[in-house]
Amino acid sequence: MSTVDSKLAMGLQTPCYVYDLDLLDETLRRIRNELNKHANYHQHYAIKANTDPTVLRHIAAAGFGADCVSGGEIRAALAAGFAPSEISFAGVGKADWEIRLAIESDIECFNVESIAELEVINSIAQQMNATARVCFRINPDVGAHTHANITTGLAENKFGIAREDMQKVVRLAGEMSNVKCIGLHFHIGSQILDMTDFRELCQRVNELQDELDAAGIPTMSIINVGGGLGVDYDDPDDHPYADFTAFYDTIAQTLKLREGQQLITELGRAVVAQMGSLVTKVLYVKQGSVKQFVIVDAGMTDLIRPALYGARHRIENLGAEDTTESGDISARGTATYDVVGPICESSDVFATGITLPVAKRGDYIRICSAGAYGQTMASQYNTRPLPNVVCRQNN
Ligand code: LLP
């Protein structure tokens, strides 16, 4: 049973993200179970997926590290209690102040994406009389079967250092005074459900490690294979947990770690997507010339995924205060709707042609799987206030 049934939605000030912390805790427990099968596996939560302070504190308290992509995320991770020694800092465009903050905070490592960036990190570390630990993000040129906007591991993508330049950058780092190269980093994309993609990534990492061995480059202590594990957006209540077993088993069966190497994963979406719902209210039901629209008070400003990626999120009509008293919403019959928001953009559409119980002004609508890349991608376009957040925990 979801934590956002019709009764629990009553009285919420909408639009509102509702986070189910019991589901989050159970998700974290399942990830921990998988990690515990291997002495040298670690998970750094990709905090870009959800940086709500309560959510971050739960994940930090469960002993995970953090993958950050900005100075703001490093600050949020530190404030939530993530250990600096478990924080990595990625991103193609790190600003000088962000590099300084990371060095001052003594985080575990930078995931470096270019020679130009390596030189800047070395020079800032020198000014600060420090040594910056770096992993190189190598573009593995491995495709992921997911949306084009969220693949990152192809040669044509902007991310990472070309694989043919790997040895050059590792040697270059060895000659620099204030950086220490400690590992390799990879990430092929997001919302990946086909384990073959992760298998191919691990095979590519094996090839790259063989190349480094053959070149006489000493073994590095960290192999970071990134995140990307997908979740079930179609049927979240029946499948609230991603297949962590398949993910970690695929890595363990394919990746050949060297003696003493630590493995890091950077799951984001799979940690937080299913614990979150965006609860919104029907403002108007409008009959257009060819379609019937349910106009809700949440918009693409609160969940941009459908507009930006054509993403599908399950949508439920939970009914209104009076329907719960007067009986079952299913007694109303159903109708076909486009569910749209109030923003002045034609792409402000959550779903088209879906069947829902007949909608009325005041009904609560639940947009499922909104825990990842919902709140963190929200904007104030149209000068809208940001939605409320309600965290629920029973256990
Ligand atoms: N590591 C790196 C280097 C990444 O770039 C990302 C996500 C992750 C880890 C976490 O990936 P996850 O486990 O969450 O798939 N806004 C998009 C997703 C963008 C992902 C960006 N990078 C969406 O809503 O689908």
Side-chain angles (χ1 to χ4, degrees), residues 22-33:
D22 293 319
L23 203 149
L24 173 63
D25 286 343
E26 177 57 19
T27 307
L28 296 173
R29 196 190 62 76
R30 286 172 184 236
I31 297 172
R32 176 61 63 203
N33 262 355

Side-chain angles (χ1 to χ4, degrees), residues 286-305:
K286 163 169 149 175
Q287 182 61 59
S289 54
V290 286
K291 285 179 159 195
Q292 199 168 191
F293 297 98
V294 171
I295 302 167
V296 296
D297 64 3
M300 62 191 284
T301 45
D302 313 312
L303 182 68
I304 202 174
R305 303 194 67 260

